[in-house]
Amino acid sequence: MTLRGQDLLSLQEMSTADMETVLSTARSLKEILSRPIKKVPTLRGKVVCTLFYEPSTRTRTSFELAAKYMSADTVSIAASTSAAQKGETLSDTARNLEVMGVDVAIMRHSVSGSCHFLARVLDIPVINAGDGMHEHPTQGLLDIFTILEHKPRIRGLKVAILGDILHSRVARSLIFGLTKMGAEVTVAGPGTLLPPYIEDLGVKVFRRVEEAIEGADVVYALRIQLERQNKGLFPSKREYRDFYGLNRRRLSLAQEDAIIMHPGPMNRGVEITTDLADSPRSIILDQVTSGVAIRMAVLYLILGGRE
Ligand code: CP
């Protein structure tokens, strides 16, 4: 199926073939990032709108840079400075942007399902840049893209995802993407931060992170999402670090060539130690670079590029 004119709302709904198309397109487009002049005319005349109801550094900036590198015009709406502060509804805001000539809307929102809602309201394509505790599909794609820059294939790879699975849209998108592509995914974290249905997604669940990390090729530490949880889901950040944080001792249980990942922003010294985050085995900054390439590919394919 072509991605042209389509929404990108979740990796649960995306076919493996479409994921492969995005990954291979990103592989071609990434070369542009190393040019002295990072500009191609591919999306000249297109207007890309980011609509962020939650904070972001990586996702919003990389979508905007991806659009600019391909010569699209960008407009960026932050809920904190928009008419949302005067009580305007999401659908009214979005419809107003659409009639001003926007070609694609990229939204982040705290409510799970809000991007599906927006996709029903608008005629233009909608890209989910993170909806509540649901999904963050372009993060899942950029994570898989980054793994493939360091490992030959996804099929058969053992990936351990650690920490706050319950609140993590990153974890959900990554699990959908990795399992569709044949990886063996293990998850571990405090019982209060493991959703009850998680086994149904095709992952092995452990309470001790050591068991999940054993023999892993990729170790993925998640951010504790303090903004999405009530107090009392774990005793303290210190206990979380002691029982669930990624450190050298725990990493030694993984494969010798295991790589370390984190979606950012990091709580250094809580879910991951600083020495590991900055170690040669960390590919955390590679993930950020991949984010630009993946978002270039997504915009290119959705706004009419050939596959
Ligand atoms: N990984 C990620 O979504 O980062 P931002 O919140 O900075 O966009």
Side-chain angles (χ1 to χ4, degrees):
M1 191 183 101
T2 175
L3 289 163
R4 187 180 302 191
Q6 300 293 312
D7 304 309
L8 200 179
L9 301 175
S10 80
L11 292 195
Q12 183 176 27
E13 294 164 12
M14 195 173 199
S15 69
T16 310
D18 282 347
M19 286 196 294
E20 300 276 11
T21 299
V22 173
L23 294 170
S24 64
T25 307
R27 231 165 268 135
S28 307
L29 292 172
K30 193 180 172 199
E31 177 268 322
I32 294 166
L33 302 181
S34 57
R35 293 185 191 174
I37 297 172
K38 295 184 264 295
K39 200 79 162 176
V40 292
T42 320
L43 295 183
R44 190 185 289 152
K46 299 291 184 187
V47 182
V48 172
C49 177
T50 59
L51 183 56
F52 274 58
Y53 285 79
E54 277 193 336
S56 166
T57 297
R58 281 146 288 267
T59 310
R60 179 163 155 175
T61 309
S62 58
F63 264 118
E64 288 181 19
L65 286 175
K68 287 177 199 293
Y69 292 161
M70 293 189 295
S71 302
D73 293 308
T74 57
V75 281
S76 143
I77 311 290
S80 56
T81 53
S82 77
Q85 294 301 318
K86 301 177 194 167
E88 186 170 56
T89 65
L90 170 58
S91 57
D92 280 339
T93 299
R95 279 197 190 107
N96 277 267
L97 295 167
E98 186 174 42
V99 297
M100 283 191 259
V102 164
D103 293 297
V104 60
I106 300 161
M107 186 170 80
R108 170 169 290 188
H109 202 287
S110 59
V111 175
S112 303
S114 50
C115 293
H116 283 78
F117 166 76
L118 197 67
R120 283 202 299 275
V121 168
L122 297 182
D123 290 329
I124 57 171
V126 172
I127 300 175
N128 181 357
D131 64 324
M133 293 161 32
H134 175 228
E135 278 220 41
H136 191 351
T138 56
Q139 178 75 42
L141 289 166
L142 76 87
D143 288 336
I144 292 170
F145 181 88
T146 315
I147 294 171
L148 285 170
E149 290 194 317
H150 295 268
K151 303 285 176 190
R153 67 192 68 79
I154 296 295
R155 183 159 298 284
L157 212 62
K158 185 174 172 192
V159 183
I161 305 178
L162 312 176
D164 183 357
I165 313 287
L166 178 66
H167 300 102
S168 179
R169 54 198 178 204
V170 171
R172 246 172 297 282
S173 286
L174 188 55
I175 288 169
F176 286 127
L178 284 172
T179 52
K180 279 184 189 187
M181 293 181 74
E184 183 192 319
V185 181
T186 60
V187 300
T192 48
L193 297 178
L194 291 172
Y197 59 82
I198 195 73
E199 284 100 338
D200 299 346
L201 304 190
V203 302
K204 284 191 194 145
V205 186
F206 298 98
R207 289 291 285 276
R208 295 182 63 245
V209 292
E210 288 81 357
E211 291 173 296
I213 293 175
E214 187 88 48
D217 302 292
V218 180
V219 182
Y220 198 111
L222 293 169
R223 180 172 75 85
I224 311 178
Q225 308 219 359
L226 295 168
E227 74 276 21
R228 287 190 217 285
Q229 53 188 268
N230 298 319
K231 283 194 167 53
L233 292 181
F234 57 92
S236 67
K237 284 188 193 171
R238 204 168 75 179
E239 276 204 45
Y240 186 95
R241 176 198 68 194
D242 291 348
F243 286 95
Y244 303 102
L246 183 60
N247 55 30
R248 282 203 182 269
R249 180 176 57 79
R250 293 196 170 116
L251 185 68
S252 70
L253 301 167
Q255 298 288 345
E256 266 181 23
D257 61 350
I259 49 177
I260 301 165
M261 302 179 75
H262 189 294
M266 286 183 272
N267 296 301
R268 286 174 178 264
V270 183
E271 65 253 3
I272 185 168
T273 56
T274 281
D275 66 324
L276 285 189
D278 298 335
S279 75
R281 291 168 73 176
S282 164
I283 59 164
I284 293 170
L285 287 177
D286 295 356
Q287 289 172 260
V288 181
T289 308
S290 302
V292 182
I294 282 291
R295 286 158 184 146
M296 285 172 82
V298 163
L299 291 174
Y300 171 76
L301 292 166
I302 288 177
L303 288 174
R306 280 201 304 275
E307 293 181 2

